[in-house]
Amino acid sequence: MTRHGALYQDIVPYTSRYYDKGKFGRMFANLPSFAPDSPKVREALKDIGKKGGIMDAKDDLTKPPVDLITNPDLQVNNPNAPFMTAGMTFLGQFIDHDVTFDPTSSLERQIDPEFVENFRTPTLALDNVYGSGPGASPHLYDASDGQGIKFLVEPLGVKGKDGIEKFDLPRNTQNTALLGDPRNDENLIVSQLHLLFLRFHNVLVDAVRVKYPSKGPSEVFREAQELVRWHYQWLLLHEFLPQLCGEQVVDDVLNNGRKFYNWHNAPYIPVEFSVAAYRFGHSQVRPSYRANFGITSAPNPAPFFATIFDFNADHHSPDPNDLRGGKRAPRRFIDWHTFFNLGDGSTRPNKLIDTKLSSPLFQLLGFAGGDVISLASRNLLRQLTFSLPSGQRVAHAMRMKPLEDDVFEDLKGYKVNFEKSTPLWFYILKEAEVQHMGIRLGDVGGRIITEVFVGLLEGDNSSFLTQNPFWKPCLDCWEPYRTGKHFTIADLVRIAEGKVSVKL
């Protein structure tokens, strides 16, 4: 691949503290916690996020999953977003798993983020997909051709919409997926999205072999890996971030630089991002989804509708009636027409970004965390254990006008001053709701997320933004199918699933 050198300026140090790779840190290290860690504050946070509480959208889960999608009367408290498609929620989850992994911190005690190890490298390099490469992670790769530079994927033996053959992640005899990050098998949608990237890589390996027949396996692998990474970074920068944060914010950070997220020597992951701002996606999750349109070879193909997970479903069933991961069955595949705009009118939206979460998220599966089974309560408690500042203080520090107290009327009854000193995660959700009707993030949330992602790309000397900021996607096949001015996740789906052929 042709390179033109690193054309971006060196990163100017902003903070006086050095953050190692693989560590968390703070963007606003001098701001105090939004509240003292007291039993009263903890109980208030649990109550705000509890099942049936003020953050529960109170979806009627006694209704069939299809009704939660098609019946407007069941969506009054949990409205659809007008623009972002359902799959973007899970693309966001996949991206999160690429840059952060904290399996060690607790909800019960105060945590200094500088001493919490991030088990992901803070780069957008898909190490959750590639693991340590074919040499050190051979279980991820297919050795049947004698080279072992393609990913191992396993056919389900069925076809979905448009006659597309369907696959699953490789699994061991206990149905544990063989992949670079176990969280990418948390639910069926993100596991199938992970699979898309495996198949995208495999397609590009074939394309590189055709263009460079004299290259050896290791060179072919590196070339294909770079292409996959750069196309992934491109769609994050040109599709995901503009939809989520607004093109104006993205353009400002790219053209005028970052103001709040900087480092010495190497990037780190700010807890204001990982524990607060980037948890916006929990508000976008639908209570149920159409996973697929049915197995086309079956006599009467039946669409697979299911809740994202069902607390009461049989955990031991090989094919439960929800979308949990860790299972393999003929119907457990995704037809991406529902999740991304593939041009046939089947796409469904995600939910608005606001302070209401879909009801299945208030009863988490497989969580050994005492009485805190609500995702919302866990998120709120993390604001306290990581001593995050209030949304109002962060807004002041970013020279933005904070939201007025009366916006947080539903918090006043807790008598802990949350309407004036609001947990950052809750503040960012409310900010999106107030400033942009939940369509996208507001000033504080959008700026934090944009600066972190742009900063991670600028801090990675292998990203396209540092290697060649004028690079553009270079796969000829997707041009006739483009839905907009940029390479998109829908284009990646078409390529990975073999709907179009690729040449370099």
Side-chain angles (χ1 to χ4, degrees):
M1 184 174 297
T2 303
R3 306 188 190 280
H4 298 287
L7 302 183
Y8 267 51
Q9 63 183 8
D10 292 336
I11 299 163
V12 178
Y14 176 77
T15 60
S16 59
R17 187 179 298 275
Y18 167 73
Y19 293 97
D20 286 318
K21 271 193 171 186
K23 295 292 184 183
F24 291 89
R26 298 185 187 277
M27 292 178 74
F28 303 100
N30 296 324
L31 297 184
S33 175
F34 74 96
D37 190 346
S38 68
K40 183 177 181 180
V41 168
R42 282 184 171 266
E43 287 307 309
L45 294 173
K46 289 180 185 179
D47 195 75
I48 292 168
K50 71 180 180 181
K51 180 181 179 181
I54 63 172
M55 296 193 74
D56 188 349
K58 301 178 178 63
D59 301 298
D60 187 351
L61 300 182
T62 66
K63 301 295 185 183
V66 62
D67 290 358
L68 294 170
I69 297 172
T70 59
N71 186 345
D73 293 338
L74 299 178
Q75 301 172 20
V76 174
N77 294 326
N78 199 8
N80 291 331
F83 303 119
M84 290 188 78
T85 62
M88 298 304 283
T89 306
F90 298 93
L91 178 60
Q93 182 182 12
F94 177 85
I95 294 167
D96 174 55
H97 294 175
D98 187 22
V99 296
T100 66
F101 188 18
D102 167 24
T104 61
S105 62
S106 167
L107 300 179
E108 301 301 323
R109 63 179 186 273
Q110 291 281 309
I111 299 164
D112 185 339
E114 295 174 34
F115 294 96
V116 177
E117 183 174 357
N118 181 11
F119 284 75
R120 289 268 79 84
T121 303
T123 57
L124 292 156
L126 294 175
D127 61 326
N128 62 335
V129 170
Y130 286 97
S132 299
S137 303
H139 59 288
L140 303 179
Y141 295 86
D142 185 357
S144 63
D145 64 356
Q147 295 190 345
I149 61 173
K150 283 186 172 183
F151 285 110
L152 186 63
V153 299
E154 297 180 350
L156 286 174
V158 302
K159 293 183 178 180
K161 187 174 172 65
D162 298 338
I164 295 173
E165 186 178 2
K166 293 300 178 179
F167 293 81
D168 186 22
L169 298 170
R171 299 181 183 275
N172 66 16
T173 56
Q174 296 181 329
N175 249 358
T176 301
L178 307 179
L179 71 177
D181 189 323
R183 297 172 300 166
N184 280 359
D185 198 27
E186 285 179 354
N187 62 68
L188 177 62
I189 305 166
V190 77
S191 74
Q192 289 271 298
L193 186 59
H194 185 105
L195 178 72
L196 275 179
F197 279 89
L198 303 185
R199 298 186 67 195
F200 185 56
H201 168 88
N202 290 353
V203 168
L204 294 187
V205 165
D206 288 337
V208 172
R209 282 171 171 167
V210 169
K211 184 169 183 178
Y212 304 108
S214 63
K215 286 192 174 184
S218 61
E219 292 177 292
V220 171
F221 175 82
R222 286 194 298 269
E223 188 78 19
Q225 182 185 46
E226 183 175 84
L227 281 168
V228 172
R229 285 172 167 170
W230 285 16
H231 281 82
Y232 160 68
Q233 293 165 0
W234 174 275
L235 67 87
L236 182 147
L237 196 59
H238 293 284
E239 181 180 22
F240 181 75
L241 280 183
Q243 286 189 32
L244 174 64
C245 304
E247 287 193 21
Q248 184 176 357
V249 177
V250 177
D251 289 344
D252 181 61
V253 174
L254 286 173
N255 295 327
N256 299 315
R258 292 170 278 111
K259 298 178 181 177
F260 310 106
Y261 172 57
N262 293 280
W263 63 87
H264 286 305
N265 300 321
Y268 67 99
I269 296 296
V271 287
E272 295 90 343
F273 168 87
S274 63
V275 179
Y278 204 66
R279 299 195 180 212
F280 74 91
H282 296 158
S283 178
Q284 294 182 310
V285 175
R286 302 184 63 90
S288 64
Y289 294 87
R290 177 178 56 199
N292 58 59
F293 294 82
I295 301 170
T296 56
S297 58
N300 297 298
F304 181 21
F305 290 93
T307 54
I308 186 66
F309 59 77
D310 182 351
F311 188 75
N312 298 309
D314 181 5
H315 177 70
H316 300 289
S317 169
D319 187 15
N321 286 320
D322 65 4
L323 299 177
R324 74 184 70 193
K327 306 290 182 179
R328 176 181 288 173
R331 70 169 179 169
R332 300 189 83 79
F333 64 86
I334 294 296
D335 279 328
W336 291 107
H337 307 70
T338 290
F339 295 89
F340 300 117
N341 183 12
L342 296 178
D344 69 343
S346 300
T347 309
R348 293 288 183 177
N350 56 21
K351 293 297 182 180
L352 293 175
I353 304 172
D354 55 23
T355 57
K356 294 290 189 292
L357 275 64
S358 293
S359 294
L361 300 182
F362 291 84
Q363 286 186 299
L364 296 178
L365 288 168
F367 175 60
D371 62 339
V372 188
I373 63 171
S374 161
L375 181 60
S377 294
R378 290 177 64 190
N379 284 346
L380 289 166
L381 285 170
R382 286 194 180 278
Q383 312 301 293
L384 192 64
T385 57
F386 277 93
S387 299
L388 288 186
S390 69
Q392 290 87 345
R393 284 187 179 272
V394 172
H396 276 299
M398 298 176 82
R399 303 173 188 87
M400 298 171 180
K401 183 180 179 181
L403 300 178
E404 300 292 339
D405 294 0
D406 59 6
V407 167
F408 301 101
E409 189 68 32
D410 50 358
L411 299 180
K412 291 182 178 179
Y414 291 96
K415 308 297 183 183
V416 283
N417 208 37
F418 284 168
E419 71 277 11
K420 296 182 181 295
S421 186
T422 309
L424 183 57
W425 176 61
F426 192 96
Y427 181 96
I428 285 169
L429 296 181
K430 180 63 76 172
E431 181 187 59
E433 181 182 335
V434 170
Q435 294 182 349
H436 299 293
M437 298 181 292
I439 295 171
R440 61 180 176 85
L441 290 168
D443 295 342
V444 170
R447 188 80 193 190
I448 289 174
I449 287 175
T450 300
E451 289 209 8
V452 169
F453 278 131
V454 171
L456 292 179
L457 289 172
E458 292 178 341
D460 174 11
N461 62 13
S462 68
S463 75
F464 88 87
L465 208 53
T466 56
Q467 288 283 335
N468 181 5
F470 300 115
W471 176 87
K472 292 183 179 180
C474 53
L475 305 178
D476 290 348
C477 69
W478 56 270
E479 186 71 29
Y481 296 89
R482 292 172 71 182
T483 55
K485 62 182 180 179
H486 297 303
F487 177 85
T488 68
I489 187 64
D491 298 314
L492 187 148
V493 170
R494 294 187 183 96
I495 294 168
E497 294 200 322
K499 293 191 72 173
V500 292
S501 58
V502 167
K503 64 177 181 178
L504 301 180

